[in-house]
Amino acid sequence: MLLLLLAVTAAAAVGAGPGKAVQFLAVGDWGGVPEPPFVTPREAATAAAMGRAAAERGADFVLALGDNFYYDGVRDEWDPRFQETFERAFAAPELRALPWFVLAGNHDHHGNVSAQLAYSRHSERWRFPHYYYSLRLHVPGTNATARLLVLDTVLLCGATDDFGVGATPRGPPDAAAAEAQLSWLQRRLAAARHDRYVLVAGHYPVWSVAEHGPTQCLLRLLRPLLRRHRVTAYLCGHDHNLQFLHEDGVGYVVSGAGNFMEASQTHRAAVPPGAARFFYGAPESPGGFAHLRLDADAATITFLEANGRVLYRVALPPRDL
């Protein structure tokens, strides 16, 4: 019940912008560095570009896809990294006006994730109500709704080394808590059967052609649910590049280029034939992120480089209700 109440409260903050659409920015693996200046040039460039995108394309909120603070998360809710890597880095007026809905990555779990939840009491824009939670979004000017289900894939699958080639999660630290999260997700997906779009977000990828590749735990636990419930798209980070994959009606968005950019496609043969539609990981790139627009007709995903260049765009249809 607590999670449901949080979802209703959060939903009132989004989906009310102009343009008859819900729009948001999705960025992962953006968490700077633990020594001065606490940001990387790529994070700074990405933050500036996100501000421009919010102003020019529109945005109701930001979805932060984990690894919010490299390399070992934060110590407590007063950790200076909140100011150094988040508040001061994402300082464009257009970003300061937006709520940030946050989830945890494996590097956040190296530190104190409960402190990141508690920071929601100190920042007007940092929204991290629980390790996993639900947002109901209303498409302006229509009767259509969308659902965003935010997961903690580290609690679900276990920790891993973000920089180890092919490193896989070691299993959940608390099997009962992992089962509780999975049961919660199953209930929320069943309850979303009348929503025009359903998005699920976590840190680890289901499918990825890059260094870490597919997450076997999520292929086993999450992929069948995404297909069964006709989820529109799954959004994640973890691999430090931009990708779009499509399998059995589900879109897979990897947006992990907020702080690093890696060109490896080590696991291209590990994804289904024809699933990989877009990949960008040029080492010289200034970074990037995704812009999502949900309107009455389509869920449009645009991948943007931090220099403003449109890299790829795809439109996904509404669910067949």
Side-chain angles (χ1 to χ4, degrees), residues 3 20 39 41 45 50 86 91 96 122 133 136 146 152 161 197 210 226 234 245 249 256 260 295 308 315 320:
L3 291 177
K20 297 190 181 302
V39 297
M50 288 171 62
F86 172 60
R96 297 195 69 86
H122 300 275
Y133 55 96
R136 194 174 192 198
D152 190 318
D161 175 10
Y197 304 103
L226 301 179
Y234 175 76
L245 304 94
F260 306 104
D295 61 26
D320 184 13

mmCIF file of all heavy atoms in Angstrom, residues 3 20 39 41 45 50 86 91 96 122 133 136 146 152 161 197 210 226 234 245 249 256 260 295 308 315 320:
data_model
loop_
_atom_site.group_PDB
_atom_site.id
_atom_site.type_symbol
_atom_site.label_atom_id
_atom_site.label_comp_id
_atom_site.label_asym_id
_atom_site.label_seq_id
_atom_site.Cartn_x
_atom_site.Cartn_y
_atom_site.Cartn_z
ATOM 1 N N LEU A 3 3.746 1.716 -1.379
ATOM 2 C CA LEU A 3 4.268 1.967 -2.727
ATOM 3 C C LEU A 3 3.187 2.559 -3.621
ATOM 4 O O LEU A 3 3.447 3.444 -4.416
ATOM 5 C CB LEU A 3 4.809 0.669 -3.331
ATOM 6 C CG LEU A 3 6.084 0.104 -2.702
ATOM 7 C CD1 LEU A 3 6.452 -1.211 -3.365
ATOM 8 C CD2 LEU A 3 7.221 1.089 -2.824
ATOM 9 N N LYS A 20 0.484 17.874 -25.431
ATOM 10 C CA LYS A 20 -0.341 16.673 -25.442
ATOM 11 C C LYS A 20 0.495 15.407 -25.447
ATOM 12 O O LYS A 20 0.230 14.448 -26.180
ATOM 13 C CB LYS A 20 -1.325 16.692 -26.619
ATOM 14 C CG LYS A 20 -2.334 17.829 -26.559
ATOM 15 C CD LYS A 20 -3.414 17.673 -27.592
ATOM 16 C CE LYS A 20 -4.406 18.838 -27.551
ATOM 17 N NZ LYS A 20 -5.050 18.991 -26.244
ATOM 18 N N VAL A 39 33.137 15.750 -11.393
ATOM 19 C CA VAL A 39 32.408 15.542 -12.639
ATOM 20 C C VAL A 39 33.437 15.258 -13.727
ATOM 21 O O VAL A 39 34.599 15.652 -13.609
ATOM 22 C CB VAL A 39 31.539 16.756 -13.046
ATOM 23 C CG1 VAL A 39 30.463 17.022 -12.019
ATOM 24 C CG2 VAL A 39 32.394 17.992 -13.262
ATOM 25 N N PRO A 41 34.306 15.650 -17.998
ATOM 26 C CA PRO A 41 33.883 16.494 -19.119
ATOM 27 C C PRO A 41 32.663 15.925 -19.839
ATOM 28 O O PRO A 41 31.794 16.677 -20.278
ATOM 29 C CB PRO A 41 35.118 16.501 -20.024
ATOM 30 C CG PRO A 41 36.274 16.287 -19.094
ATOM 31 C CD PRO A 41 35.758 15.341 -18.050
ATOM 32 N N ALA A 45 29.121 17.859 -20.360
ATOM 33 C CA ALA A 45 28.558 18.067 -21.694
ATOM 34 C C ALA A 45 27.159 17.472 -21.798
ATOM 35 O O ALA A 45 26.247 18.075 -22.389
ATOM 36 C CB ALA A 45 29.480 17.458 -22.753
ATOM 37 N N MET A 50 21.276 18.030 -21.987
ATOM 38 C CA MET A 50 19.961 17.701 -21.434
ATOM 39 C C MET A 50 19.159 18.960 -21.142
ATOM 40 O O MET A 50 17.940 18.995 -21.360
ATOM 41 C CB MET A 50 20.133 16.858 -20.181
ATOM 42 C CG MET A 50 20.606 15.436 -20.452
ATOM 43 S SD MET A 50 21.046 14.519 -18.937
ATOM 44 C CE MET A 50 19.483 14.502 -18.064
ATOM 45 N N PHE A 86 25.714 16.061 -8.599
ATOM 46 C CA PHE A 86 24.337 16.175 -9.072
ATOM 47 C C PHE A 86 23.866 17.629 -9.151
ATOM 48 O O PHE A 86 23.674 18.166 -10.247
ATOM 49 C CB PHE A 86 23.404 15.360 -8.183
ATOM 50 C CG PHE A 86 21.942 15.586 -8.487
ATOM 51 C CD1 PHE A 86 21.429 15.313 -9.747
ATOM 52 C CD2 PHE A 86 21.079 16.083 -7.512
ATOM 53 C CE1 PHE A 86 20.087 15.537 -10.042
ATOM 54 C CE2 PHE A 86 19.736 16.298 -7.792
ATOM 55 C CZ PHE A 86 19.238 16.027 -9.057
ATOM 56 N N ALA A 91 22.775 21.906 -13.580
ATOM 57 C CA ALA A 91 22.336 23.200 -13.060
ATOM 58 C C ALA A 91 21.600 24.054 -14.080
ATOM 59 O O ALA A 91 21.196 25.170 -13.748
ATOM 60 C CB ALA A 91 23.549 23.966 -12.525
ATOM 61 N N ARG A 96 16.745 22.189 -13.519
ATOM 62 C CA ARG A 96 16.472 22.447 -12.107
ATOM 63 C C ARG A 96 14.967 22.474 -11.831
ATOM 64 O O ARG A 96 14.539 22.272 -10.696
ATOM 65 C CB ARG A 96 17.113 23.750 -11.660
ATOM 66 C CG ARG A 96 18.636 23.770 -11.744
ATOM 67 C CD ARG A 96 19.234 24.921 -10.969
ATOM 68 N NE ARG A 96 19.047 24.728 -9.540
ATOM 69 C CZ ARG A 96 19.878 24.030 -8.758
ATOM 70 N NH1 ARG A 96 20.937 23.438 -9.285
ATOM 71 N NH2 ARG A 96 19.642 23.906 -7.478
ATOM 72 N N HIS A 122 15.891 16.299 1.140
ATOM 73 C CA HIS A 122 16.756 17.483 1.117
ATOM 74 C C HIS A 122 16.714 18.221 -0.224
ATOM 75 O O HIS A 122 17.205 19.339 -0.309
ATOM 76 C CB HIS A 122 18.204 17.078 1.402
ATOM 77 C CG HIS A 122 18.397 16.412 2.728
ATOM 78 N ND1 HIS A 122 18.596 17.119 3.903
ATOM 79 C CD2 HIS A 122 18.396 15.103 3.070
ATOM 80 C CE1 HIS A 122 18.732 16.267 4.906
ATOM 81 N NE2 HIS A 122 18.606 15.037 4.436
ATOM 82 N N TYR A 133 9.460 1.201 -7.378
ATOM 83 C CA TYR A 133 8.217 1.959 -7.231
ATOM 84 C C TYR A 133 7.531 2.106 -8.582
ATOM 85 O O TYR A 133 8.091 1.772 -9.633
ATOM 86 C CB TYR A 133 8.478 3.328 -6.601
ATOM 87 C CG TYR A 133 9.511 4.204 -7.296
ATOM 88 C CD1 TYR A 133 9.133 5.185 -8.214
ATOM 89 C CD2 TYR A 133 10.871 4.068 -7.016
ATOM 90 C CE1 TYR A 133 10.066 6.001 -8.827
ATOM 91 C CE2 TYR A 133 11.817 4.869 -7.638
ATOM 92 C CZ TYR A 133 11.413 5.833 -8.539
ATOM 93 O OH TYR A 133 12.357 6.639 -9.151
ATOM 94 N N ARG A 136 2.283 6.414 -12.317
ATOM 95 C CA ARG A 136 1.221 6.440 -13.317
ATOM 96 C C ARG A 136 1.253 7.791 -14.000
ATOM 97 O O ARG A 136 1.204 8.831 -13.345
ATOM 98 C CB ARG A 136 -0.149 6.189 -12.697
ATOM 99 C CG ARG A 136 -1.205 5.882 -13.755
ATOM 100 C CD ARG A 136 -2.524 5.498 -13.135
ATOM 101 N NE ARG A 136 -3.432 4.944 -14.141
ATOM 102 C CZ ARG A 136 -4.740 4.853 -13.971
ATOM 103 N NH1 ARG A 136 -5.293 5.263 -12.844
ATOM 104 N NH2 ARG A 136 -5.507 4.345 -14.920
ATOM 105 N N ALA A 146 -0.226 5.941 -18.918
ATOM 106 C CA ALA A 146 0.972 5.113 -19.089
ATOM 107 C C ALA A 146 1.479 4.739 -17.708
ATOM 108 O O ALA A 146 1.191 5.419 -16.715
ATOM 109 C CB ALA A 146 2.043 5.855 -19.879
ATOM 110 N N ASP A 152 14.910 -2.212 -8.827
ATOM 111 C CA ASP A 152 16.290 -2.313 -8.357
ATOM 112 C C ASP A 152 16.816 -3.669 -8.802
ATOM 113 O O ASP A 152 16.589 -4.693 -8.147
ATOM 114 C CB ASP A 152 16.379 -2.171 -6.843
ATOM 115 C CG ASP A 152 17.817 -2.030 -6.363
ATOM 116 O OD1 ASP A 152 18.690 -2.761 -6.887
ATOM 117 O OD2 ASP A 152 18.085 -1.193 -5.483
ATOM 118 N N ASP A 161 30.878 -6.188 -10.838
ATOM 119 C CA ASP A 161 31.883 -5.175 -11.136
ATOM 120 C C ASP A 161 31.542 -4.527 -12.462
ATOM 121 O O ASP A 161 31.589 -5.178 -13.506
ATOM 122 C CB ASP A 161 33.272 -5.812 -11.196
ATOM 123 C CG ASP A 161 34.360 -4.830 -11.612
ATOM 124 O OD1 ASP A 161 34.074 -3.619 -11.664
ATOM 125 O OD2 ASP A 161 35.474 -5.280 -11.891
ATOM 126 N N TYR A 197 0.653 2.652 -22.560
ATOM 127 C CA TYR A 197 2.071 2.314 -22.611
ATOM 128 C C TYR A 197 2.502 1.816 -21.241
ATOM 129 O O TYR A 197 2.056 2.350 -20.214
ATOM 130 C CB TYR A 197 2.921 3.530 -22.987
ATOM 131 C CG TYR A 197 2.517 4.188 -24.287
ATOM 132 C CD1 TYR A 197 1.775 5.376 -24.295
ATOM 133 C CD2 TYR A 197 2.856 3.625 -25.517
ATOM 134 C CE1 TYR A 197 1.396 5.972 -25.476
ATOM 135 C CE2 TYR A 197 2.470 4.220 -26.711
ATOM 136 C CZ TYR A 197 1.739 5.386 -26.679
ATOM 137 O OH TYR A 197 1.358 5.971 -27.857
ATOM 138 N N ALA A 210 26.958 -5.044 -25.834
ATOM 139 C CA ALA A 210 28.202 -4.396 -25.420
ATOM 140 C C ALA A 210 28.968 -5.219 -24.378
ATOM 141 O O ALA A 210 28.785 -6.426 -24.235
ATOM 142 C CB ALA A 210 27.902 -2.986 -24.926
ATOM 143 N N LEU A 226 7.996 -9.260 -19.419
ATOM 144 C CA LEU A 226 7.891 -8.172 -20.391
ATOM 145 C C LEU A 226 7.103 -8.621 -21.617
ATOM 146 O O LEU A 226 6.261 -7.877 -22.148
ATOM 147 C CB LEU A 226 9.286 -7.707 -20.808
ATOM 148 C CG LEU A 226 10.214 -7.190 -19.700
ATOM 149 C CD1 LEU A 226 11.569 -6.790 -20.281
ATOM 150 C CD2 LEU A 226 9.587 -6.023 -18.954
ATOM 151 N N TYR A 234 11.771 -1.590 -22.152
ATOM 152 C CA TYR A 234 12.575 -1.700 -20.943
ATOM 153 C C TYR A 234 13.764 -0.762 -21.100
ATOM 154 O O TYR A 234 14.479 -0.812 -22.119
ATOM 155 C CB TYR A 234 13.051 -3.139 -20.735
ATOM 156 C CG TYR A 234 13.997 -3.291 -19.560
ATOM 157 C CD1 TYR A 234 13.527 -3.272 -18.252
ATOM 158 C CD2 TYR A 234 15.374 -3.443 -19.760
ATOM 159 C CE1 TYR A 234 14.387 -3.396 -17.172
ATOM 160 C CE2 TYR A 234 16.237 -3.573 -18.684
ATOM 161 C CZ TYR A 234 15.736 -3.551 -17.395
ATOM 162 O OH TYR A 234 16.591 -3.670 -16.322
ATOM 163 N N LEU A 245 17.350 -2.176 -29.036
ATOM 164 C CA LEU A 245 17.101 -3.526 -29.507
ATOM 165 C C LEU A 245 15.598 -3.780 -29.461
ATOM 166 O O LEU A 245 14.860 -3.115 -28.717
ATOM 167 C CB LEU A 245 17.828 -4.572 -28.642
ATOM 168 C CG LEU A 245 19.351 -4.397 -28.499
ATOM 169 C CD1 LEU A 245 19.688 -3.610 -27.232
ATOM 170 C CD2 LEU A 245 20.068 -5.739 -28.488
ATOM 171 N N GLY A 249 8.101 -7.679 -29.835
ATOM 172 C CA GLY A 249 7.224 -6.557 -29.524
ATOM 173 C C GLY A 249 7.687 -5.661 -28.398
ATOM 174 O O GLY A 249 7.035 -4.670 -28.094
ATOM 175 N N GLY A 256 23.397 4.444 -21.258
ATOM 176 C CA GLY A 256 24.412 4.443 -20.219
ATOM 177 C C GLY A 256 25.613 5.302 -20.556
ATOM 178 O O GLY A 256 26.739 4.991 -20.157
ATOM 179 N N PHE A 260 30.678 7.953 -19.280
ATOM 180 C CA PHE A 260 31.691 7.186 -20.011
ATOM 181 C C PHE A 260 31.108 6.788 -21.351
ATOM 182 O O PHE A 260 29.893 6.773 -21.537
ATOM 183 C CB PHE A 260 32.085 5.917 -19.240
ATOM 184 C CG PHE A 260 32.532 6.153 -17.824
ATOM 185 C CD1 PHE A 260 31.689 5.854 -16.757
ATOM 186 C CD2 PHE A 260 33.793 6.661 -17.546
ATOM 187 C CE1 PHE A 260 32.081 6.069 -15.442
ATOM 188 C CE2 PHE A 260 34.202 6.876 -16.240
ATOM 189 C CZ PHE A 260 33.347 6.580 -15.185
ATOM 190 N N ASP A 295 2.673 9.988 -26.672
ATOM 191 C CA ASP A 295 1.446 10.691 -27.019
ATOM 192 C C ASP A 295 0.377 9.679 -27.387
ATOM 193 O O ASP A 295 0.549 8.469 -27.182
ATOM 194 C CB ASP A 295 1.685 11.725 -28.126
ATOM 195 C CG ASP A 295 2.180 11.120 -29.432
ATOM 196 O OD1 ASP A 295 1.903 9.928 -29.693
ATOM 197 O OD2 ASP A 295 2.840 11.842 -30.215
ATOM 198 N N GLY A 308 24.103 17.635 -29.432
ATOM 199 C CA GLY A 308 22.795 17.945 -29.994
ATOM 200 C C GLY A 308 22.408 17.103 -31.187
ATOM 201 O O GLY A 308 21.266 17.184 -31.663
ATOM 202 N N ALA A 315 9.761 4.848 -33.284
ATOM 203 C CA ALA A 315 8.417 5.030 -32.727
ATOM 204 C C ALA A 315 7.806 3.653 -32.458
ATOM 205 O O ALA A 315 7.754 2.810 -33.358
ATOM 206 C CB ALA A 315 7.540 5.825 -33.683
ATOM 207 N N ASP A 320 -1.851 -3.056 -27.654
ATOM 208 C CA ASP A 320 -3.144 -3.522 -28.180
ATOM 209 C C ASP A 320 -4.005 -3.909 -26.994
ATOM 210 O O ASP A 320 -3.923 -5.027 -26.464
ATOM 211 C CB ASP A 320 -2.908 -4.726 -29.105
ATOM 212 C CG ASP A 320 -4.190 -5.203 -29.757
ATOM 213 O OD1 ASP A 320 -5.189 -4.457 -29.693
ATOM 214 O OD2 ASP A 320 -4.182 -6.307 -30.287
#
